Amino acid sequence: MDRIRIRGGRPLSGEIKVGGAKNAALPLMAAGMLTDDRLILSNVPRLADIATMTLLLEQHGLAVEPLTEDGRMLSIGGGIANTEAPYDIVRKMRASILVLGPLLARAGEARVSLPGGCSIGTRPVDLHLKGLEQMGARFDLDGGYVDGKVDGRLHGARIVFPFVSVGATENLLMAAALAEGETVLANAAREPEIGDLASCLVAMGARIDGIGTDKLVIQGVDQLHAAEHDIIPDRIETGSYACAAAISGGSVFLRNARLEHLGATVRILREAGVEIAQEDGGLMVTRLNGLHGADVMTEPYPGFPTDMQAQFMALMSVAEGASMVTETIFENRFMHVPELNRMGARINVHGASAIVRGVPCLQGAPVMATDLRASLSLILAGLAARGETVVNRVYHLDRGYEAVEQKLAACGADIERIS
């Protein structure tokens, strides 16, 4: 199993190209199920989760074909030949549940395994099922599978989410595009990835109002058609490499990064002493002086994202003063804390909050990655630590970060992957 070895203490300097957003690419790939015509996606990231979604779509009968040698442009299309999403594929990635809405909208039935993925907390699919039930679907749970059926077509409904759910918003948005009549999604998620999906659906012929707001109004159409769509850059990758520049005391240009997608992340990083400036083609991130403690609470967009919590905690572990990090989205998302403390961090967890007291320097140590974002937080800590850090179980990392060791090494980090 691969590991990543870092020898810390080198300020980063140079340029990192931010890739396409994983959390946009996965629902966009699922949207390819909504038509027999071709959906062409560009700026596709090369990640393990993309490969998993490719396998899932192919076993449903679709053709997923790379149009360029590097695989960054994909053609998705074809009829649905199989309506079962099997456990062996779905267990690898929670985003697999996103095929449920398209299957019901196109084929009138679906058998989808309950999803797996990172063990950072229970992410129930209740909101997906309840919303689809309001649109006319019927469900049974059988042996770890969700069995769904529709008599005829799904129909429009007014659906009010009791709390913001990105996945449920995406699933119901795709289903509503082909439903009969009008669907209203109230208290919908507003993440940039939702807007990206909605924009792609509109290009395919969907009728959607309210893009970018918490109220989406969809007028169902009989069919969608071919389209081409360029995936937005990954805002979590942007934030992660901004933390890398800051924790190393360096200066990095993040090509393709978009300031308007960062929400509260940019405000919090600036509060902590990180300079972020919009320039032509991307963002320049610099730490000119010391880091200062800052408090954060994870919230739905445009609040501070839960997917940046672990990276920000690593940054605060070497900041002057104390910080409080409160996690409101996932209940098990502090599993990186013991590993950071092994490196000399001073972090105490009290329920849903962690108190981080900054230390002058971390010490290299062997550590274990527990989930995708925790993997990157340990690499960040290794960049700032004295001595050698070895991060084990980096298969989590490969689900959401492409060639992270190569990108950091190109900016002067002493980092390598050990097979």
Side-chain angles (χ1 to χ4, degrees), residues 168-290:
T169 299
E170 291 168 338
N171 231 336
L172 298 180
L173 178 61
M174 289 188 283
L178 290 179
E180 191 172 12
E182 179 180 276
T183 299
V184 177
L185 303 180
N187 197 29
R190 292 185 288 159
E191 274 73 2
E193 295 80 11
I194 303 285
D196 206 35
L197 173 62
S199 296
C200 178
L201 292 173
V202 169
M204 296 169 70
R207 298 169 58 196
I208 304 170
D209 291 321
I211 296 173
T213 75
D214 63 357
K215 182 181 178 182
L216 296 170
V217 181
I218 306 101
Q219 307 292 339
V221 297
D222 292 337
Q223 62 183 14
L224 298 178
H225 53 67
E228 297 185 10
H229 182 79
D230 190 50
I231 299 170
I232 60 172
D234 197 314
R235 63 192 171 96
I236 304 301
E237 187 180 15
T238 297
S240 299
Y241 287 125
C243 287
I247 202 168
S248 72
S251 179
V252 175
F253 181 69
L254 301 178
R255 182 160 299 282
N256 296 337
R258 296 186 189 174
L259 192 68
E260 67 270 21
H261 288 172
L262 293 182
T265 300
V266 67
R267 174 179 58 82
I268 295 296
L269 288 176
R270 284 171 172 168
E271 183 181 329
V274 184
E275 184 176 291
I276 302 176
Q278 181 80 61
E279 296 188 3
D280 186 32
L283 300 177
M284 179 60 74
V285 182
T286 307
R287 192 187 101 194
L288 295 176
N289 300 305

Side-chain angles (χ1 to χ4, degrees), residues 348-406:
N348 294 302
V349 176
H350 303 277
S353 295
I355 305 297
V356 186
R357 294 177 177 86
V359 298
C361 190
L362 298 173
Q363 300 292 329
V367 289
M368 188 79 69
T370 54
D371 61 72
L372 169 55
R373 306 305 174 183
S375 304
L376 206 284
S377 76
L378 298 176
I379 288 176
L380 295 178
L383 293 175
R386 287 197 188 105
E388 182 177 282
T389 298
V390 177
V391 182
N392 295 279
R393 291 175 65 183
V394 295
Y395 60 85
H396 289 294
L397 187 76
D398 296 332
R399 290 185 49 229
Y401 292 95
E402 180 182 340
V404 63
E405 69 277 9
Q406 296 172 31

